[in-house]
Amino acid sequence: MDEIGFRHDGYLFLLDREEDVAAFRVALALQGSLGVPSRELTPAEAAELLPQLSLDGILAAAYCPSDGYATPEAVVQWYARESGATVLQGCAATAVDVRDGKIEAVETTGGRIATGTVICCAGVWSKEVADLAGIALPVEGEARSMWFTPQDGGLPERVPLTIDFSTGFYFHREGPGLAFGGRERALEEVAEAAARRLPVLADLPVQSTWWGWYDVSPDWNALVGEVEEPSRFLYATGFSGHGFQQAPAVGEHLAELVVGREPTLDLSAFSATRFARGAERPEAFVV
Ligand SMILES: Cc1cc2nc3c(=O)[nH]c(=O)nc-3n(C[C@H](O)[C@H](O)[C@H](O)COP(=O)(O)OP(=O)(O)OC[C@H]3O[C@@H](n4cnc5c(N)ncnc54)[C@H](O)[C@@H]3O)c2cc1C
């Protein structure tokens, strides 16, 4: 676990609106029924976990001690190494050859690859990649930023991934310091909520920043499944900011579909056909 920077520090949502408390209670009940040890905390109990929080206006918190976080690029490297798969970098798919409803090959900038099966998992570029096979996948990009501090402001060793739900400000440990972000693109816009909820952050220098695309679907839930035609075109995209945590389960599911094994999990609710069927399920806990 050290290899992927895994920290078993929990997840903590801070709630300052009655309607959010009600929605989280429904989610906690569902999680509890499935054996997840998440629970509601009072503001005083949240302060015990992180004394540096300023909890003005907080009505309740949702906490799951068994959650954690890890370093995504280390996890990707681990899978690439351990799976034995061949990873071709800098090799873009430029066309999908389909004959009589069946995939025959993928044309790439590195040459033609004969295959009968394609998985479209191109993140925010999935719309264009699916279009190569004449398939419409509704994925749009939304830019999100993160910032990194070189010190931790004296926070306890165990810092849950903490989310101020109404503003979207969140933070967690990252190396010797902290990583934080929010729904806005500019530091100045995130800084106000950040300094209000975690005042020590206002005294820390920002060492670096990073931004990336959320690959957003129309209801902010992932698109996972297989199209009817052409045959053997699978997709896993539109993760809308949840892709890292959902990746292990979705990856196993796709592997089962590829080899024709009965899927362990029923992920049919994530099919991209849900929009045409009026069966979309708007994600309530978007950060
Ligand atoms: C600021 C920020 C914070 C986030 N925080 C979290 C979090 O806390 N928890 C969480 O679970 N998720 C989080 N996410 C979301 C998560 O990072 C994504 O859901 C995840 O990275 C998606 O992975 P992916 O493999 O589906 O797509 P990507 O990582 O986008 O990979 C797509 C790949 O497809 C390749 N590609 C594109 N076009 C082509 C082509 N034509 N041919 C071949 N290859 C192509 C690209 O080069 C890329 O390598 C966050 C995202 C951002 C931006």
Side-chain angles (χ1 to χ4, degrees):
M1 288 295 179
D2 277 356
E3 227 182 322
I4 58 164
F6 183 65
R7 298 192 60 100
H8 217 167
D9 289 356
Y11 242 65
L12 179 70
F13 284 91
L14 304 173
L15 310 172
D16 63 2
R17 297 183 299 212
E18 292 287 358
E19 64 267 30
D20 293 337
V21 177
F24 270 82
R25 280 183 182 149
V26 173
L28 289 173
L30 175 65
Q31 291 160 15
S33 74
L34 296 168
V36 177
S38 52
R39 61 181 194 270
E40 183 174 332
L41 300 184
T42 62
E45 288 169 325
E48 275 172 35
L49 290 174
L50 268 184
Q52 287 86 350
L53 284 174
S54 164
L55 293 172
D56 286 358
I58 293 298
L59 302 171
Y63 177 57
C64 185
S66 63
D67 287 351
Y69 45 97
T71 307
E73 58 270 32
V75 174
V76 172
Q77 294 284 350
W78 186 89
Y79 274 114
R81 212 173 42 242
E82 298 294 319
S83 68
T86 303
V87 179
L88 301 177
Q89 291 188 284
C91 180
T94 53
V96 178
D97 294 347
V98 178
R99 184 173 298 180
D100 299 330
K102 289 200 171 85
I103 293 170
E104 295 204 327
V106 175
E107 308 284 351
T108 77
T109 48
R112 178 182 166 90
I113 300 172
T115 178
T117 304
V118 167
I119 303 176
C120 174
C121 50
V124 73
W125 301 276
S126 296
K127 193 176 183 173
E128 288 76 17
V129 170
D131 192 47
L132 299 176
I135 294 155
L137 283 181
V139 180
E140 301 290 338
E142 185 166 311
R144 293 294 176 106
S145 301
M146 289 180 78
W147 294 271
F148 302 89
T149 67
Q151 296 122 28
D152 65 8
L155 264 58
E157 178 53 29
R158 191 178 153 95
V159 175
L161 194 159
T162 303
I163 301 166
D164 187 41
F165 187 63
S166 65
T167 65
F169 162 63
Y170 66 87
F171 64 92
H172 57 77
R173 277 196 175 278
E174 181 85 13
L178 302 175
F180 67 97
R183 297 191 183 106
E184 294 83 10
R185 250 332 267 287
L187 178 57
E188 299 71 38
E189 292 172 287
V190 174
E192 194 189 319
R196 193 169 64 241
R197 214 35 100 201
L198 188 66
V200 294
L201 199 53
D203 299 327
L204 296 177
V206 170
Q207 185 178 40
S208 57
T209 182
W210 175 87
W211 74 271
W213 295 109
Y214 269 19
D215 48 327
V216 177
S217 77
D219 63 1
W220 288 71
N221 267 310
L223 307 171
V224 182
E226 180 168 0
V227 304
E228 278 184 17
E229 197 174 330
S231 65
R232 304 270 66 197
F233 186 97
L234 299 95
Y235 55 87
T237 182
F239 287 103
S240 310
H242 306 106
F244 181 64
Q245 63 213 67
Q246 295 180 349
V250 170
E252 280 192 24
H253 182 76
L254 287 172
E256 289 170 336
L257 291 181
V258 167
V259 299
R261 205 177 287 163
E262 184 63 27
T264 309
L265 298 174
D266 176 9
L267 298 189
S268 54
F270 292 100
S271 166
T273 61
R274 66 183 182 266
F275 304 106
R277 288 184 280 116
E280 57 265 44
R281 293 176 50 163
E283 167 61 58
F285 303 109
V286 171
V287 175

